[in-house]
Amino acid sequence: MIRKIRHIFSGSLWGPVAAVVANLAVAYVVYFLCRLVFLAVNYSAFADGLSMGHLWEMLRGGFVFDSSAIMYTNVLWIVLMLLPWHGKETPLYHKVCRWIFVAVNGVAVVMNMCDCVYFQYTSRRTTSTVFSEFSNEGNLAGIFGTEILRHWYLVLIGAALIYGLWRLYRDYELKRASLCWWRYSLAMVASIVVMVPCILGGMRGGLSHSVRPITVSNANQYVNHPTEAAIVLNTPFSLLRTIGKNVFEVPKYFTDEKQMLALYSPVHQPAAGAKMQRKNVVVLIVESLGREYIGSLNRDLDGGRYKGYTPFVDSLLAKSLTFEYTFANGRKSIDAMPSTLSSIPMMVEPFFLTPASMNDLTGLAGMLHEKGYYSAFFHGADNGSMGFEAFARATGYDRYYGRTEYNADAAGAGDADYDGIWAIWDEPYLQHMVRQVNGFKQPFLATVFTASSHHPFKVPQQYEHVYKEEGEPIHKCIRYTDMALRRFFESASKQPWYGNTIFVLVADHTNQNTHPYYKTDQGIYSIPIAFYTPDGSLEPGLKQDVIAQQIDVLPTLMGMLGYDKPYVAFGCDLLRTPAQDTWAFNYNNGIYQYFKGPWMLQWDGKATKALYRFKTDPLLKQNLAGKVAEQPRLEAELKSLIQQYMHRMNTNQLILR
């Protein structure tokens, strides 16, 4: 048997075919091992409900997506190997083919190893929008360097897998002088004829005429929860299948517009007799401030002993209006800006990484500018970072304050306050914000996006012994940011504008969740949302059974201020909407999640995948799909939201004309 195998690789005309099959088998093994490493590193995110039977189902699904990625990325190598030209049988040509194979699949290994880490912050595999997301960042080398040191074991595993690709590569020997060119060409053509259907079938995910080329959303047919799609997928496939794709395809759920608008409409009409109040507005978007970290919002955790990591935020919420169920609309910082400031949720991909970001749009700043407000956006990172400055300008902010402006502030310490990777530390930057706001003419809108509670989870040197490691690495950073917020409010409370201001506290997304609830498909989106008025005009307290989300911030503020014009916002005014009509939405790994009343609907664009009574089943154990009378109504409302969102994105209708 061994002699026969050696003969195939050394003397037979079928040596190239045998080498292709053998080396592709090695690629499959490497992809499989990458998936096991990914699962091992992120096991805590999937441990609940991960039975052997279900794991096997996902691994079988992973084979389909690995086939697609392997065929797409190795098609050039396959063609070179089977090229029907006998003159290619030289040592140099073989060496070039080997290098191409190892390089292409080595890059795939690196991508998968990187996502072992990045998944912890996004809960999904990386897509092509990552290149736009970080296109303006000049600190990527430092970030990668830090991650390489922190995850050295992934570097070693990746290096071992790439070495395995090189070491296990099977070559073949054919002496060109003894080859009959026409027999050789005929053999290679026959091989190509056989291989083409295999390649196309692998790329498409099947050969049946009814099979459309698989996309990232097809992974959901193998999973019980959307987050698990990351196990089924691989990073090269996710990148390849999202390059150049039209993000917003308008579905045709409704042909009757009146019927659709009766279910949901993003057009808001002013309240009868609305009269504009000239109150200042300060919006604090706090990096990674997951609801889990706040003790006062988790009194039932750890048997009632849980205190959290935010003593100041706890005291602020006691004086604020907040809500029982509060959600982010996305999982990235770039999702929070349009959601909070323009009431545009993330659907499919981050809004301002899509062509729709070039639409005419507005937001808090633009709407309040019409009423005589001055507006400024504060972010202590390099100007242009994350595209925040561009979005702020597009939505009507009069001034942007970044790291450049901080360094020009004589009262600050300049780059001595820079964290070395992302931005100015929160404590000095928030004090800088107060100093600048003091010079603004009232009424004004001031928005800040903090930065310190962020990977790589460091605190300023003078606080290293004050805020020590405890639990997750982010916890010490949350304590530091909580202190920075306390100092901000202490300084602001001494200013003449403070008493005439509405403060909004909201997180951009969650991060490093620990408790089981906060690892569920609802928990990974659970953040705080609070409104605080120092003059007491807004009654503090937790509003029971109200569902709130980031896109509700804009319409709620417009209602509080008495805005007297109609406008487009995808969220609702939480103070004018009955509790039973409040709702929330997020897009989770190809699954649309819709919360309303006691229900959480998970829908893949064609059919319901799950329906949970999320208020009484917080760990989402009992799927009631097909068993609840309210399901058709929930599906219809979600369809209306999706169709109107996609239509407005594609037809530039984000503002009323």
Side-chain angles (χ1 to χ4, degrees), residues 38 42 45-46 111-134 215-217 219-220 223 225-239 241-242 247-248 329-335 345-354 510 513 519-521 524-525 586-593:
F38 175 87
N42 298 287
F46 310 109
M111 289 178 179
N112 282 313
M113 291 299 107
C114 288
D115 245 1
C116 289
V117 179
Y118 194 44
F119 169 82
Q120 298 167 17
Y121 307 104
T122 64
S123 294
R124 68 172 187 168
R125 289 282 184 168
T126 299
T127 63
S128 61
T129 56
V130 71
F131 301 113
S132 301
E133 182 179 349
F134 295 106
T215 65
V216 291
S217 63
N220 287 295
V223 306
H225 301 287
T227 306
E228 293 174 343
I231 298 176
V232 179
L233 294 168
N234 60 74
T235 306
F237 176 86
S238 294
L239 287 168
R241 293 300 292 154
T242 54
V247 177
F248 302 127
N329 294 107
R331 289 281 290 154
K332 296 182 179 182
S333 297
I334 55 173
D335 298 327
M346 194 285 275
M347 195 177 292
V348 183
E349 289 293 349
F351 169 73
F352 62 72
L353 298 182
T354 70
T510 62
N513 300 319
K519 294 181 180 181
T520 65
D521 291 331
I524 59 174
Y525 290 95
N586 25 71
Y587 183 82
N588 187 4
N589 272 322
I591 297 294
Y592 299 92
Q593 296 189 160

Side-chain angles (χ1 to χ4, degrees), residues 129-175:
T129 56
V130 71
F131 301 113
S132 301
E133 182 179 349
F134 295 106
S135 61
N136 294 319
E137 303 305 314
N139 53 0
L140 295 183
I143 296 170
F144 276 111
T146 300
E147 285 306 309
I148 287 173
L149 294 176
R150 291 185 60 189
H151 300 280
W152 54 269
Y153 53 92
L154 291 178
V155 177
L156 294 180
I157 292 171
L161 291 174
I162 294 172
Y163 175 74
L165 287 167
W166 177 267
R167 187 71 180 82
L168 297 176
Y169 184 87
R170 297 290 79 177
D171 213 333
Y172 63 94
E173 295 180 9
L174 291 177
K175 296 180 180 179

Side-chain angles (χ1 to χ4, degrees), residues 208-349:
S208 170
H209 71 278
S210 61
V211 175
R212 300 184 66 184
I214 55 174
T215 65
V216 291
S217 63
N218 289 100
N220 287 295
Q221 72 185 76
Y222 302 99
V223 306
N224 293 333
H225 301 287
T227 306
E228 293 174 343
I231 298 176
V232 179
L233 294 168
N234 60 74
T235 306
F237 176 86
S238 294
L239 287 168
L240 288 169
R241 293 300 292 154
T242 54
I243 292 175
K245 297 296 181 183
N246 180 20
V247 177
F248 302 127
E249 295 184 6
V250 183
K252 297 180 180 179
Y253 302 132
F254 297 93
T255 55
D256 186 335
E257 186 175 358
K258 290 184 178 180
Q259 179 191 10
M260 180 173 63
L261 293 175
L263 290 163
Y264 168 78
S265 174
V267 177
H268 290 250
Q269 299 294 338
K275 185 177 181 180
M276 194 72 188
Q277 299 185 55
R278 297 177 64 79
K279 283 196 169 187
N280 308 310
V281 177
V282 173
V283 180
L284 300 118
I285 305 175
V286 183
E287 173 69 45
S288 298
L289 183 63
R291 188 182 175 106
E292 181 182 19
Y293 309 141
I294 302 172
S296 61
L297 298 181
N298 295 280
R299 299 194 186 279
D300 59 335
L301 287 185
D302 297 344
R305 299 185 304 275
Y306 186 75
K307 295 188 181 298
Y309 306 90
T310 59
F312 171 74
V313 170
D314 285 331
S315 67
L316 181 67
L317 295 186
K319 301 180 289 185
S320 304
L321 173 65
T322 187
F323 310 93
E324 184 71 11
Y325 306 98
T326 46
F327 298 101
N329 294 107
R331 289 281 290 154
K332 296 182 179 182
S333 297
I334 55 173
D335 298 327
M337 285 272 285
S339 294
T340 304
L341 303 177
S342 293
S343 194
I344 299 174
M346 194 285 275
M347 195 177 292
V348 183
E349 289 293 349

Side-chain angles (χ1 to χ4, degrees), residues 28-145:
Y28 273 98
V29 172
V30 167
Y31 270 69
F32 177 76
L33 293 175
C34 286
R35 178 170 286 104
L36 293 185
V37 173
F38 175 87
L39 180 58
V41 173
N42 298 287
Y43 182 75
S44 63
F46 310 109
D48 188 32
L50 193 62
S51 65
M52 286 303 298
H54 182 44
L55 177 59
W56 175 244
E57 180 185 16
M58 290 190 288
L59 293 178
R60 285 192 299 107
F63 177 82
V64 176
F65 291 90
D66 288 352
S67 296
S68 184
I70 289 170
M71 294 306 169
Y72 269 116
T73 56
N74 287 281
V75 66
L76 172 62
W77 172 79
I78 295 172
V79 169
L80 292 175
M81 290 288 287
L82 301 181
L83 193 67
W85 172 52
H86 75 295
K88 74 177 193 293
E89 301 301 335
T90 66
L92 177 61
Y93 191 91
H94 286 199
K95 185 177 293 186
V96 169
C97 287
R98 184 175 193 169
W99 273 107
I100 290 174
F101 177 83
V102 174
V104 167
N105 292 287
V107 169
V109 168
V110 172
M111 289 178 179
N112 282 313
M113 291 299 107
C114 288
D115 245 1
C116 289
V117 179
Y118 194 44
F119 169 82
Q120 298 167 17
Y121 307 104
T122 64
S123 294
R124 68 172 187 168
R125 289 282 184 168
T126 299
T127 63
S128 61
T129 56
V130 71
F131 301 113
S132 301
E133 182 179 349
F134 295 106
S135 61
N136 294 319
E137 303 305 314
N139 53 0
L140 295 183
I143 296 170
F144 276 111

